[in-house]
Amino acid sequence: MAQFGRDNSQMPQMAAATLKHMLLLSTPLLLGMAALSPAVVPLFYGPAFRPAAVALALAATLAIPRCLLNPGFNYLQAIERQRLLLYWNLLCACINIGLDLTLIPRWKAVGAVMASGIAQLFSVVGIWVIIIFLHKVKAPWGA
């Protein structure tokens, strides 16, 4: 995004390319972690922690959208839309707290992972919807 100060005409293409590459790199790594979690948790923490593998697998899967958050943040910061980021993050934090209060009492650690993952997914989708539709950045998966 340092290029923005010299020539901002390439910013939308840079944002779309970054989104595409982050998705291509993070998806196989995190899905691999989710698949290996039943073996990894007992290996590192012992058989008593085997039930935590479910939370780790869910956390790894729900972390895929989180990898797409920083390119969106960087783009909106580069175009001086920090106020939008502030308000959007406040809304997502409130959603996260509400989901925590709802899901943790019933599902414990898995509920915490689900609440955090859902709030982060909401944050990522909202930021990229704003970037793609309001700022006319061409989505890397569209025509």
Side-chain angles (χ1 to χ4, degrees):
M1 297 299 166
Q3 180 70 16
F4 182 70
R6 291 177 283 189
D7 178 22
N8 63 359
S9 65
Q10 297 300 313
M11 285 280 294
Q13 291 84 359
M14 288 171 49
T18 303
L19 176 66
K20 175 182 166 185
H21 290 105
M22 289 297 287
L23 190 61
L24 288 173
L25 288 171
S26 64
T27 302
L29 291 172
L30 290 166
L31 289 178
M33 183 65 204
L36 293 175
S37 64
V40 169
V41 170
L43 178 69
F44 288 126
Y45 299 107
F49 287 88
R50 190 176 306 274
V54 174
L56 178 60
L58 186 60
T61 304
L62 290 173
I64 294 170
R66 174 66 179 91
C67 295
L68 308 177
L69 197 55
N70 283 342
F73 267 50
N74 292 340
Y75 181 80
L76 290 174
Q77 286 174 341
I79 62 171
E80 300 292 329
R81 298 299 302 262
Q82 289 91 341
R83 183 178 302 230
L84 174 69
L85 283 173
L86 174 69
Y87 292 135
W88 187 251
N89 282 332
L90 285 173
L91 175 66
C92 291
C94 291
I95 290 170
N96 193 4
I97 291 168
L99 288 170
D100 282 340
L101 294 173
T102 305
L103 298 176
I104 290 175
R106 181 169 178 171
W107 288 299
K108 312 293 185 251
V110 172
V113 168
M114 288 180 0
S116 179
I118 291 168
Q120 289 177 13
L121 177 64
F122 187 74
S123 178
V124 169
V125 169
I127 284 175
W128 280 102
V129 163
I130 290 166
I131 292 171
I132 290 170
F133 291 109
L134 296 181
H135 295 282
K136 307 301 183 217
V137 171
K138 186 175 181 279
W141 54 80

